[in-house]
Structures are given as C-alpha cells and as structure tokens.
Amino acid sequence: RALLHNDLQGDEVLVVSNREPYIHEKTPNGIVVKRPASGLVTAVEPVMRACSGTWVAHGSGSADRDVVDANDVVMVPPDHPTYSLKRVWLTREEEEGYYYGFANEGLWPLCHIAHVRPVFRVSDWEYYKEVNRRFADKVIASARTDDPVILVQDYHFALLPQLIREKLPRATIITFWHIPWPNPESFGICPWRAELLRGMLGSSILGFHTRFHCKNFIDTVDRYLETRIEHEHSTITLDGRETLIKNYPISIHWPDEQEESAWPETEECRRMLRRNFNLSDSHLVAIGVDRFDYTKGILERANAVERMLEKHPDMIGKFSLIQIAAPSRSSLDEYRYFQERLSRRVEEINRRFGRDNYQPFILLAEHQGSEILTRYYRGADACIVTSLHDGMNLVSKEFIACRNDMQGVLILSQFAGAAGELPEALIVNPYHVEETADALYQALTMPEAEQRERIRSLRATVRERNVYRWAGFMLQDAAHARRRERIEARL
Ligand code: G6P
C-alpha cells in the first residue's frame, strides 16, 4: 500500500467504471448498502480505499440518488468514508443500449469466445458512444487539475480514453481491460472495430491480465489500424501519441492478521456449511461461486459431477457440490436461456443420483456477501472454477486467501487468466468432462500432506501478488511516463 502513496505523490486520482462499488437500496427498513458481485469492484475498491480520490460510476440502486449531497457526491465506504463516489444517471434507454446491448450482447461474448454469437445493433452502438461521452463529461468536470491520473475500467468504456484525452491532453490515462482480448480474426467481426481501437489508444497505459491478451491486442491493432508498433517496448503510436501495452495480473486484498482473527475456526465453518444444507459433518463438499453467466462453465461443471458419480458410485450420498450462482444481466435472453438450461440439467442429475434429502448438485441462484463466502470457502473440501474463458478469475484467489488452515484443494480452468499464476491448483480443461471429473475425485481424496504442500505454495504467490502490487505496478509505470513527459515538455 505504501507503494501507491509513493508513486502518486499527491496526484489527483479518478477511477471510472460502469459498476459502482456500493449500491444503495430502498427497503422497508430504510436504506441498505450492498456490494455487487463483481471481480472489478473486488479488486479496485481496496485500491481506492488506500489512495482516496473520486470514483465515477453508473448509479444503479433504487436509493442511490437519495444519498448524495448538493454536489451529487456520496462519501464511501459507509462505515469508514475515505473516497467520493459520483454517479452518472442513465436513462432506461441508455442502459438498455449501452450496458445490456453493446457492452453485454456485443463486447462480452465477442471477447470471451464462449460460442455465444455477439449481437451488434446500430442503436446499441449509438447509445454506447453517447454514454461514453456522458462519462467523459463527468470525469472532465470532476477533475480539479489539468494532469490527473485517471483509471478507466473495462469494456464498457473503450471510447472514453480518447474522449478524455481531447479535453485533458496532459492527463495520465490508465485503462484496464478486465476481460480477455481475443485474436484479430475473432475481434474483426465487430463492425466498429477501428473506432474501439482508436478510443482505447487514447490511454497512456493499456493493461490486460495476461501477456497473451496483450499480444492479441497488438496483433489486432496491427491488422486493422495504421500505427507504429514497437514490439521491443510493447508500445503503439497513433497520431503521435504513444500507448504502453502491458500485462498486470489483477488480484485481491490479502487479509491481515486482524481480519483473519475475526474468522471462525475452519472446524466451525465446516459444521456451519454442512448444517446449513442438512448434510452430515463428514459429508464431502466442493464449492462453486460465480455470477450466473454462460462463460463460467457451470454446465460443464455439472457434467463433471455427473461423470464423477458414474465412475465412483461410492461417492453417491457422500458428496455434494454447493454452487452459488449470483443472478446477473438476467434481462438478456442468453442469460435467461442459460439459467433455464442449467436448472434443467441440475434437476436431471439430482433425480438420477439424489435420494431422500440428498442432492449431489445444490444450486443456489443468489448473491452471497463476503462474510458468508469466507465461511463457505473455509468449510469446503474443494473449490471448483471451470470458466470457459475468463480474464483472471478472483474466486480462485479468494479461496486461497481464506485457507490459512493449509487445507482445501483448488480445481482451476486452464482458460482462466489465473491458471498461469497458480500451477499448483488442479488445472483442467472444462470442455474435457472426463478430465474434470477425475480432478474432482482427486481433490476429494487428496491426502492432507499434499493439500498442505499445494496450498502453501499457492498462498505464497497470492500473498505477494496482491492487488496493491497490481495497482502499484501500473502507477509506477504511470509515474515513469509522467516524469518523462515533463522532461520532454521542458526541452
Ligand atoms: C466482469 C466484468 C466487470 C463487471 C462484472 C460484473 O467481471 O469485467 O466489469 O463489473 O463482471 O458484471 P456486471 O455486469 O454485473 O457489472
């Protein structure tokens, strides 16, 4: 955390993302504050707490407007205000076109290559451009200096860097793309590919999770725009402006001793988790935690559970997967189809192997807060992540952080960015049902000593490569670029 302060040295910091870190909802008992299920928020929020500043986001809660002051600002976190949150209020049409339409029916499937055909409507594109403009206006109006550090988050805002750059040419704009970047052929089907790429190249630094995504991006620019690319330095120059393309693997806040001391013992977590689902104390439990999204490979996970039970009938009645699937973007057809398909598949498996009160696949289509999740992670025998494609995946890192008892096995998709950093997990190809089923069985029967050895190594990695390092490295590169620009301006 000290690193952040050193590199910023009093600079003004603005973050802009679609999703807000705190959602204020009206309930019969007054206003409650909720944390969204979002990898982006999980990662960026601790960084903002550490460096204060302003976070600009789309206001999405029913009471969001009620809590702001005359300047449209609310200080957050509610229990310990350290930074200000400013909202852009979108109309229903803007949200439909920009967020549901272009961002989540177009860019999301385009970048995840999850075999859901992207949809590109001209009307969605118009809203996407308009909302990017509105966010640019808000950020520009919020800046107090002419050279702030602006952290633009994700695929909702590909056009924002260039729009901000036009008005604040001296700003240091760091854009982080939280989802994968596909190869040029795949990206090339987007009718507005050149506009998107130009918009992103307004950034001083453009970050992706992995080197592979950076390479795909550089190849895509090479294919569709006239620029100068310096592979040696990983920079792209467009119209005389240079952008550094670099990988910064995102991570989580690593819990300190005080936070850990508030956690119940793992034995208590084991009992609580099992009692909550009417399972015996010796029942084997794997946990899955995802947004209810077709990219997360939950259907493939269900197939693997089924196959594991076919191969190892002794596990029937003794093992369950508890799957928390937080409903997400449910007004989109593809999400609804997927939710229905998965529910049907789970029913089939439970009908086939379930009995009395026993269900091998327990599906909970609900959002859980971090306190409960910590207990579930600590109480489970294994955690399973089978994304078909994922920028990073922070569930895997959160599970590791919770296991200070040095037990528990992580099963991790080779198509999640995290797989590159966490080779001591059981790495699987989720499309390979047999392999995933075998990994699940291996996890459930793994000797304690081997679990300890693997998790110890995983913990050392995530402890060191925490989210402050992620932000620190980006800011260090930004500070470097700023110093260089100031020197050049004097020449
Ligand atoms: C992914 C995206 C984030 C997004 C999150 C939740 O992690 O990269 O930008 O916040 O999903 O999705 P939602 O659409 O609910 O914000």
Side-chain angles (χ1 to χ4, degrees):
R1 259 176 270 192
L3 232 137
L4 297 182
H5 293 293
N6 285 347
D7 287 317
L8 288 168
Q9 289 171 351
D11 287 328
E12 182 187 14
V13 179
L14 292 144
V15 163
V16 46
S17 75
N18 172 69
R19 186 60 64 193
E20 51 184 343
Y22 295 93
I23 303 177
H24 299 81
E25 294 284 1
K26 266 186 206 132
T27 72
N29 305 326
I31 294 175
V32 297
V33 183
K34 288 202 307 202
R35 298 291 305 273
S38 155
L40 182 160
V41 170
T42 306
V44 180
E45 212 275 329
V47 175
M48 264 320 252
R49 281 187 193 224
C51 62
S52 63
T54 302
W55 187 324
V56 178
H58 159 215
S60 56
S62 54
D64 273 355
R65 278 179 196 258
D66 303 352
V67 293
V68 294
D69 65 14
N71 299 320
D72 228 10
V73 171
V74 57
M75 292 299 291
V76 287
D79 50 348
H80 186 60
T82 39
Y83 63 91
S84 37
L85 173 62
K86 285 195 182 183
R87 260 67 59 85
V88 174
W89 311 108
L90 301 181
T91 63
R92 213 178 55 78
E93 291 76 17
E94 282 174 330
E95 192 180 5
E96 284 289 325
Y98 137 85
Y99 170 77
Y100 287 107
F102 195 73
N104 285 316
E105 284 190 288
L107 292 178
W108 179 268
L110 178 72
C111 292
H112 280 90
I113 322 185
H115 311 293
V116 166
R117 193 176 279 182
V119 177
F120 296 114
R121 296 181 197 92
V122 175
S123 56
D124 290 345
W125 170 240
E126 291 302 325
Y127 278 117
Y128 186 83
K129 286 195 287 190
E130 176 56 27
V131 173
N132 270 245
R133 246 176 257 128
R134 291 196 52 198
F135 271 81
D137 291 346
K138 187 85 172 188
V139 171
I140 292 158
S142 303
R144 285 175 281 104
T145 51
D146 72 341
D147 64 347
V149 174
I150 303 174
L151 309 176
V152 176
Q153 307 298 317
D154 229 354
Y155 62 102
H156 310 90
F157 297 119
L159 306 175
L160 200 56
Q162 183 53 31
L163 292 170
I164 296 175
R165 173 73 59 215
E166 283 162 14
K167 294 283 159 45
L168 292 175
R170 296 188 62 234
T172 301
I173 305 174
I174 309 179
T175 301
F176 192 79
W177 196 259
H178 289 255
I179 62 175
W181 191 274
N183 57 53
E185 289 75 27
S186 302
F187 191 78
I189 65 171
C190 177
W192 303 289
R193 61 195 185 198
E195 287 92 326
L196 293 170
L197 296 172
R198 281 181 177 281
M200 292 169 79
L201 290 173
S203 316
S204 320
I205 298 180
L206 180 52
F208 295 93
H209 293 292
T210 68
R211 195 58 222 153
F212 187 60
H213 299 155
C214 294
K215 192 181 166 304
N216 278 346
F217 180 81
I218 295 171
D219 290 350
T220 306
V221 170
D222 198 14
R223 181 81 60 92
Y224 302 116
L225 287 187
E226 277 298 321
T227 61
R228 196 177 77 235
I229 299 178
E230 290 231 33
H231 290 283
E232 182 68 15
H233 299 120
S234 198
T235 55
I236 300 178
T237 306
L238 173 68
D239 302 334
R241 252 220 67 77
E242 187 182 274
T243 304
L244 172 69
I245 315 297
K246 197 162 157 185
N247 60 315
Y248 303 93
I250 209 165
S251 193
I252 55 162
H253 158 78
W254 186 260
D256 58 32
E257 270 171 33
Q258 202 190 336
E259 287 161 296
E260 285 192 352
S261 66
W263 296 346
E265 291 298 327
T266 32
E267 268 315 308
E268 198 186 324
C269 295
R270 283 186 72 86
R271 276 195 301 273
M272 188 207 88
L273 174 61
R274 284 159 185 77
R275 283 203 193 131
N276 275 2
F277 297 98
N278 277 326
L279 304 169
S280 76
D281 285 353
S282 60
H283 201 81
L284 292 170
V285 171
I287 179 125
V289 179
D290 304 85
R291 279 182 310 101
F292 212 144
D293 192 299
Y294 55 81
T295 60
K296 300 294 181 183
I298 311 177
L299 206 54
E300 287 68 15
R301 203 174 301 177
N303 295 340
V305 167
E306 179 180 52
R307 185 71 191 121
M308 196 276 286
L309 295 176
E310 274 170 11
K311 289 177 87 171
H312 305 281
D314 55 306
M315 283 285 181
I316 301 171
K318 294 194 191 131
F319 160 77
S320 300
L321 168 67
I322 298 176
Q323 175 66 51
I324 317 249
S328 178
R329 309 171 192 170
S330 312
S331 67
L332 296 181
D333 289 345
E334 284 298 340
Y335 282 77
R336 274 207 312 277
Y337 297 152
F338 177 69
Q339 289 167 12
E340 285 161 18
R341 251 180 93 196
L342 181 75
S343 304
R344 273 203 305 278
R345 189 76 190 95
V346 167
E347 270 170 35
E348 277 166 24
I349 296 172
N350 284 339
R351 217 175 300 126
R352 183 167 166 203
F353 295 105
R355 52 172 91 117
D356 305 329
N357 285 328
Y358 169 64
Q359 288 190 332
F361 198 116
I362 302 173
L363 177 62
L364 301 160
E366 62 194 28
H367 173 59
Q368 284 297 354
S370 64
E371 225 167 273
I372 293 283
L373 287 182
T374 301
R375 289 163 193 236
Y376 285 5
Y377 288 138
R378 283 169 70 71
D381 298 290
C383 173
I384 179 160
V385 175
T386 50
S387 315
L388 303 179
H389 209 43
D390 217 333
M392 173 54 65
N393 186 279
L394 292 182
V395 165
S396 54
K397 296 189 174 181
E398 287 184 328
F399 172 71
I400 292 167
C402 287
R403 298 314 297 254
N404 58 354
D405 62 331
M406 303 294 162
Q407 293 296 298
V409 182
L410 175 64
I411 301 164
L412 178 59
S413 164
Q414 68 183 86
F415 307 123
E421 288 183 290
L422 308 173
E424 301 87 350
L426 299 182
I427 305 289
V428 296
N429 172 354
Y431 290 95
H432 193 332
V433 179
E434 202 70 21
E435 184 182 282
T436 312
D438 290 347
L440 182 55
Y441 186 72
Q442 187 189 344
L444 298 173
T445 53
M446 187 181 285
E448 285 186 7
E450 184 180 346
Q451 295 187 34
R452 197 170 307 119
E453 210 176 316
R454 287 176 185 269
I455 204 103
R456 179 164 292 154
S457 186
L458 291 167
R459 286 174 62 80
T461 305
V462 181
R463 185 189 301 118
E464 197 214 317
R465 299 171 156 236
N466 60 45
V467 75
Y468 304 107
R469 204 181 91 133
W470 169 75
F473 279 0
M474 271 188 290
L475 292 169
Q476 228 169 40
D477 288 341
H480 196 85
R482 278 162 92 84
R483 276 198 299 273
R484 224 181 43 216
E485 273 168 23
R486 280 177 194 152
I487 291 168
E488 278 165 13
R490 261 184 250 126
L491 292 176

